[in-house]
Amino acid sequence: MEIAPGIHQLKVPIPDNPLGNLNCYLVAGKNGWLMIDTGWYTPEAYEALRTGLKGLGLATTDISTMVITHVHPDHFGLAGRIKASSPATHLITHRWEADLIETRYIKFGALRQKMDPILARHGVPKGEVEALKSSSMPTLQYVITTLPDDTVHGGEILSTGEYDLEVIWTPGHSPGHICLYEPKNKLLFSGDHVLPSISPNVSYNAQSGDNPLGDYLGALRKVQNLEVTKVLPAHEHIFTNLRGRIEQIFAHHDRRKSEILGVIKAEPHNAYYISSRITWDIPNLKWEQFPVMHRRSAVTETIAHLEALRWEGKAEKTTMNGAVTYRAL
Ligand SMILES: [Zn+2]
């Protein structure tokens, strides 16, 4: 699909995943094309990407630059595969994402060990820690790892010779998440930062900052007032009302925060307990029936909300014998 002259969207399937597709974007340039996000690595996904490129008369060797919004598998997974077939392609990530590549995909054992004490401290029962901790491991097979040739930190202009793309650092979903803004057509390549109907997972974990939800909400404010005619997200569909969508996301997190405050108003509780008492978008399932992966995100998302509330002065945290509880103020 052509969005503006020389700007295209390719849908790369994510097999067996509710997200369905990763939206990869291609921006024309004087000396080759710039690609934004790749899709995760499976032979079918790589074939779909190659077929999409072929439809535009392109091969991977026509991609002079690959920009990855963040290094989650569905965005970064094919980067190493593309590099293998086109070694001259220049890979760019935020500098913090570059660090995460090593801890997530190369020396990942240490990361798993760090997650243990975090989950235990926040009340996850012993038997569940092991299951919760390992639940994100299967995605490793969907990544062909490679390291960036260059890193950015926000504010840079990436020029293709035809389009200038401004790098905007938008931490929260991942500490080094970036969006790209194209001022000529007023396009925002939003990655997972702003999606039309899903709100991205913002979790407190071994790789996040100490207030990831605060970072995320701040980074929404950063893009909220940009002049944008089309938002080009990494999943779902293209949309127009950026400001309205951001208002909805603020409201979603406000609701969750007040629900959490309700649970800890009368007495302090740990994050695991609080997670089991609030509403999640998993219809018809009781907390006990949640798949392990969902329970893990619920707990780490709850911690992110609790920490944001703490930084806002609305909750306090107490640690006793290694166990963390929160109380509303
Ligand atoms: Zn994604």
Side-chain angles (χ1 to χ4, degrees), residues 14 19 22 70 72 74-75 173 191-192 195 234-235:
I14 313 178
L19 286 172
L22 177 281
H70 61 299
H72 290 170
D74 48 330
H75 303 257
H173 178 57
D192 281 355
L195 299 167
H235 303 287

Side-chain angles (χ1 to χ4, degrees), residues 7-74:
I7 299 183
H8 301 264
Q9 182 195 64
L10 297 181
K11 289 205 174 281
V12 185
I14 313 178
D16 306 320
N17 185 286
L19 286 172
N21 289 297
L22 177 281
N23 299 327
C24 160
Y25 295 96
L26 289 161
V27 180
K30 289 232 154 63
N31 302 302
W33 290 70
L34 181 141
M35 176 183 272
I36 302 167
D37 287 344
T38 64
W40 70 5
Y41 175 70
T42 63
E44 303 98 287
Y46 185 57
E47 257 335 284
L49 183 69
R50 288 210 322 160
T51 308
L53 287 172
K54 214 183 273 172
L56 299 170
L58 303 173
T60 51
T61 45
D62 294 305
I63 313 298
S64 52
T65 308
M66 249 189 305
V67 181
I68 305 296
T69 59
H70 61 299
V71 300
H72 290 170
D74 48 330

Side-chain angles (χ1 to χ4, degrees), residues 241-303:
N241 185 3
L242 175 66
R243 253 172 248 187
R245 178 59 191 137
I246 289 179
E247 287 305 329
Q248 287 176 348
I249 300 176
F250 281 141
H252 163 81
H253 290 291
D254 282 346
R255 269 198 306 276
R256 185 157 286 163
K257 282 196 264 185
S258 27
E259 219 184 328
I260 288 175
L261 283 176
V263 178
I264 54 174
K265 210 191 228 157
E267 51 174 325
H269 287 291
N270 64 40
Y272 184 80
Y273 174 87
I274 299 162
S275 310
S276 72
R277 287 293 177 276
I278 60 175
T279 330
W280 299 99
D281 309 324
I282 306 181
N284 312 320
L285 279 191
K286 289 200 185 106
W287 172 254
E288 296 72 33
Q289 303 165 314
F290 276 23
V292 167
M293 188 63 200
H294 286 89
R295 222 182 294 174
R296 176 204 168 104
S297 346
V299 173
T300 53
E301 276 189 59
T302 301
I303 305 171

Side-chain angles (χ1 to χ4, degrees), residues 59-216:
T60 51
T61 45
D62 294 305
I63 313 298
S64 52
T65 308
M66 249 189 305
V67 181
I68 305 296
T69 59
H70 61 299
V71 300
H72 290 170
D74 48 330
H75 303 257
F76 173 63
L78 279 169
R81 182 66 191 85
I82 293 169
K83 271 286 235 189
S85 74
S86 174
T89 300
H90 200 75
L91 174 64
I92 299 177
T93 69
H94 189 276
R95 56 196 258 220
W96 288 13
E97 294 300 292
D99 288 347
L100 297 191
I101 293 172
E102 187 161 304
T103 46
R104 275 183 88 103
Y105 303 122
I106 302 171
K107 301 178 186 162
F108 49 85
L111 181 62
R112 295 177 62 181
Q113 292 319 315
K114 273 191 203 159
M115 219 33 222
D116 256 25
I118 294 180
L119 295 170
R121 212 162 51 228
H122 286 279
V124 177
K126 253 199 184 124
E128 264 182 55
V129 167
E130 186 61 29
L132 285 179
K133 181 187 58 155
S134 313
S135 62
S136 70
M137 299 316 287
T139 50
L140 275 177
Q141 65 183 284
Y142 300 117
V143 176
I144 307 251
T145 301
T146 181
L147 288 166
D149 299 290
D150 220 340
T151 58
V152 288
H153 59 259
E156 295 85 352
I157 305 289
L158 305 176
S159 182
T160 69
E162 292 189 25
Y163 286 104
D164 288 341
L165 302 169
E166 183 189 343
V167 178
I168 306 173
W169 177 42
T170 49
H173 178 57
S174 190
H177 188 289
I178 52 174
C179 294
L180 295 175
Y181 180 62
E182 192 285 298
K184 215 181 338 179
N185 295 286
K186 301 187 172 48
L187 305 175
L188 180 69
F189 298 90
S190 65
D192 281 355
H193 187 49
V194 192
L195 299 167
S197 80
I198 310 166
S199 64
N201 171 302
V202 178
S203 289
Y204 180 94
N205 57 50
Q207 290 187 319
S208 69
D210 63 351
N211 183 12
L213 184 63
D215 293 342
Y216 178 66

